[in-house]
Amino acid sequence: MAEGVAMADGSVFGGGVRWSRLFTPIGVFLALFGLLNFAELPLGWKDRQQQVGRYLDATLDLGPDWVLPVIWLAKLVELVLGVIAGAAVVRRSAKWLAAAVLGWLAWFTAFSAMDVWAADRAELQEHTVYFVMFAVLLGLIHVVSAVEQVLRSRA
């Protein structure tokens, strides 16, 4: 009975989980994903302007004056999520890593909602795939944490 309580207290968000060596590639991937999403802004500037313009027009009925601030806000959010993942690797914090993955899940949920609202099926498919992959990463973090905790309790 006490072991079950110890495991419940040691959940990823409870802070009692140790860093697993399997978390390092996940954290590095997430850090690079966030940084590269931010860095690609100049490469796809025209496409992003058109896409965000369509979203804002179809969903919130906002004019072209809002396109630039929304693009920069989106890219800054992606950069912050990458920095959180990088900090998770440096600090070896499963809690921060899970927070970064949850941030990406929330981000792609918002994009998927905008895709539905704007009736953009191609983008909806892309964002849904990203959402599923980040959900898999979050599940992997929880499963690895639980397995390592069980193995430590048996040792």
Side-chain angles (χ1 to χ4, degrees):
M1 185 79 162
E3 288 178 33
V5 172
M7 281 184 57
D9 291 340
S11 69
V12 171
F13 294 108
V17 174
R18 293 184 193 159
W19 183 261
S20 170
R21 64 186 168 148
L22 298 175
F23 293 162
T24 301
I26 295 171
V28 170
F29 164 77
L30 291 175
L32 287 173
F33 187 74
L35 295 174
L36 291 175
N37 269 322
F38 180 78
E40 67 90 29
L41 182 59
L43 299 175
W45 182 249
K46 275 282 199 207
D47 292 336
R48 288 288 174 238
Q49 282 181 308
Q50 292 172 355
Q51 181 183 20
V52 171
R54 281 193 322 268
Y55 276 164
L56 293 177
D57 187 43
T59 58
L60 302 173
D61 200 25
L62 295 175
D65 294 340
W66 286 90
V67 171
L68 183 63
V70 168
I71 290 173
W72 277 106
L73 175 67
K75 291 302 173 181
L76 286 175
V77 167
E78 293 170 352
L79 179 63
V80 166
L81 290 171
V83 168
I84 291 170
V89 172
V90 170
R91 294 176 54 133
R92 300 175 58 86
S93 170
K95 190 176 188 179
W96 283 46
L97 184 63
V101 174
L102 279 173
W104 282 109
L105 281 170
W107 194 237
F108 285 113
T109 298
F111 275 125
S112 295
M114 294 280 286
D115 295 333
V116 169
W117 199 356
D120 190 342
R121 290 183 181 155
E123 289 295 322
L124 177 61
Q125 289 174 344
E126 178 185 344
H127 293 141
T128 300
V129 168
Y130 278 119
F131 177 87
V132 168
M133 295 314 298
F134 281 104
V136 167
L137 282 178
L138 186 62
L140 182 65
I141 291 168
H142 282 287
V143 167
V144 168
S145 297
V147 167
E148 288 201 355
Q149 202 159 18
V150 168
L151 292 175
R152 269 195 309 276
S153 71
R154 290 183 177 184

